[in-house]
Amino acid sequence: SLMFVGTAPSASEETTGLPFTGKTGEVIREIVEGLGLTEQTVFANLIPRRPVGPDGANRKPTSDEIDFCSSHLIQYINAAKPDLIVTVGASPTGFVLGSKVLSMSILHGLVMRVNRFGMYLSVMPVYDPAYLARRGGLLTSEGQTWVDDLQSIQDILRQGVG
């Protein structure tokens, strides 16, 4: 199976209670569907509530918020036992790998095997689409890299990741 882990729900996802159903989530779900992986894919977020700044805009979760909220994700990972976890952005990547992410530009698209949460996990980080949107979207080289990374998932699962 395949698991996508994002940082936090968008405003629309918070309303529905379903992860990866906002604008960027829909793009990911369309790619997953195009790859024929819909039935074996689950979606989760690092924290269950959208962190907002004083201006009401989304913000990066604090380490305290991640520590406080992440137990639900650990339980979900242990229950789902995914063959591959695709971490979307630096915060979920750092949490699942157990280390601070210095550069998504180096880690994106690499499959790493780690011993976390009492099991071995295969983890592939990808850029956060919200980050890409702030930098020019899918028409940039980073945007094309993101699409390429997601399209490689089917081959990675076919070859076996663990």
Side-chain angles (χ1 to χ4, degrees):
S1 68
L2 175 63
M3 176 182 273
F4 280 83
V5 177
T7 301
S10 66
S12 62
E13 291 168 356
E14 206 166 48
T15 302
T16 65
L18 299 172
F20 288 82
T21 55
K23 287 181 185 178
T24 57
E26 286 177 9
V27 173
I28 291 174
R29 286 178 181 266
E30 285 175 14
I31 291 173
V32 167
E33 183 178 335
L35 295 173
L37 300 172
T38 302
E39 291 183 17
Q40 58 185 343
T41 303
V42 294
F43 298 90
N45 281 310
L46 178 56
I47 62 172
R49 299 296 310 249
R50 180 174 68 103
V52 293
D55 60 355
N58 292 346
R59 63 166 174 76
K60 184 177 176 179
T62 65
S63 58
D64 286 342
E65 288 169 328
I66 292 170
D67 291 344
F68 183 76
C69 296
S70 58
S71 63
H72 79 282
L73 177 61
I74 296 169
Q75 291 173 351
Y76 196 25
I77 290 170
N78 276 300
K81 296 181 179 20
D83 297 315
L84 178 65
I85 298 175
V86 178
T87 52
V88 182
S91 293
T93 298
F95 177 75
V96 173
L97 292 179
S99 63
K100 183 172 173 57
V101 173
L102 299 177
S103 175
M104 284 296 291
S105 65
I106 294 172
L107 294 179
H108 78 86
L110 298 176
V111 178
M112 293 161 271
R113 190 96 165 122
V114 295
N115 185 356
R116 288 280 284 157
F117 319 126
M119 61 193 301
Y120 284 96
L121 304 170
S122 294
V123 181
M124 185 177 92
V126 298
Y127 288 114
D128 185 328
Y131 163 83
L132 294 174
R134 290 189 302 271
R135 297 181 51 96
L138 295 180
L139 300 178
T140 64
S141 62
E142 288 173 325
Q144 188 55 53
T145 297
W146 180 79
V147 171
D148 293 344
D149 288 346
L150 291 180
Q151 289 177 337
S152 72
I153 291 170
Q154 189 175 42
D155 291 334
I156 291 167
L157 290 172
R158 192 179 300 121
Q159 294 168 7
V161 288

